[in-house]
Amino acid sequence: MGILKRKEVAKERRISEMMDDFMDKHAMKFKIINIASGIFILSVGVLSIFGRLSLDHLIKLPNSVFLGLFGVMILSAEYDIPAIKENMSFLNTLFGRGIFNIYIATLFTVGNTLMSTTLVAMFILGLALLGTGFIYVAAHLCTKSNRDQARERFKKEALRTLIDG
């Protein structure tokens, strides 16, 4: 192994260790943000469903229903509900949770049916979800252990698929 290759490996290892330390240090903050956003998204979805009846409301009804469901999914993922672990395993990885938070942030900040005073809170929470989503994705990309676990899981699933048929 050449000197440059050793330096690259050492640099990757340092970045990975720094990101692991960062995620360990701030894990409770991310958990609190996710729980708060799950509760708020669920309540916004439910309140939007029971809002005033109009054509505009009926058009935005599916968005409200999905916001409620996504709020339940975020809460379930934080509390390690077995159904979420089995059926929505992407929420168990940093990358999957990051992309999901980014997706919800875009849904949350666009096309809501509540009053304008709630819009400010929704926008702030959308930015918080967007920020945590990008941090989760960056942590996944920088943390070598997550990449190795994902590769090993993929290899096991591929081998299981080949064996089963």
Side-chain angles (χ1 to χ4, degrees):
M1 187 182 311
I3 294 174
L4 289 177
K5 183 69 173 173
R6 277 190 233 138
K7 286 183 179 181
E8 287 179 25
V9 169
K11 183 179 178 181
E12 271 188 31
R13 196 173 297 139
R14 279 195 310 270
I15 291 172
S16 177
E17 289 170 0
M18 286 175 17
M19 191 54 81
D20 284 340
D21 291 342
F22 177 81
M23 291 304 289
D24 289 342
K25 189 184 297 184
H26 299 290
M28 185 55 83
K29 293 175 187 172
F30 290 128
K31 187 173 183 98
I32 290 171
I33 288 172
N34 279 330
I35 289 172
S37 62
I39 291 170
F40 194 68
I41 290 170
L42 176 62
S43 62
V44 164
V46 170
L47 290 175
S48 295
I49 290 171
F50 297 114
R52 56 183 160 68
L53 291 176
S54 66
L55 181 61
D56 183 49
H57 176 71
L58 291 176
I59 291 171
K60 294 180 181 179
L61 186 64
N63 188 26
S64 303
V65 171
F66 279 109
L67 280 177
L69 289 175
F70 292 156
V72 169
M73 285 173 61
I74 288 176
L75 288 172
S76 299
E78 283 302 320
Y79 288 109
D80 294 328
I81 304 295
I84 295 294
K85 280 187 164 189
E86 294 169 9
N87 299 319
M88 294 166 226
S89 61
F90 66 92
L91 289 175
N92 297 327
T93 65
L94 290 173
F95 186 76
R97 187 170 286 199
I99 295 296
F100 189 67
N101 278 359
I102 292 169
Y103 174 69
I104 290 176
T106 59
L107 277 181
F108 204 64
T109 56
V110 177
N112 53 63
T113 59
L114 294 179
M115 300 176 292
S116 61
T117 54
T118 313
L119 289 177
V120 175
M122 290 174 71
F123 185 73
I124 291 171
L125 189 62
L127 287 179
L129 273 172
L130 193 66
T132 57
F134 282 125
I135 289 172
Y136 281 150
V137 170
H140 171 78
L141 295 175
C142 293
T143 306
K144 188 173 182 174
S145 62
N146 286 331
R147 287 184 290 179
D148 292 341
Q149 288 174 357
R151 270 194 210 114
E152 289 301 317
R153 189 173 36 244
F154 177 74
K155 287 178 186 176
K156 287 179 185 177
E157 288 177 12
L159 183 61
R160 192 177 311 132
T161 303
L162 286 174
I163 291 172
D164 291 341

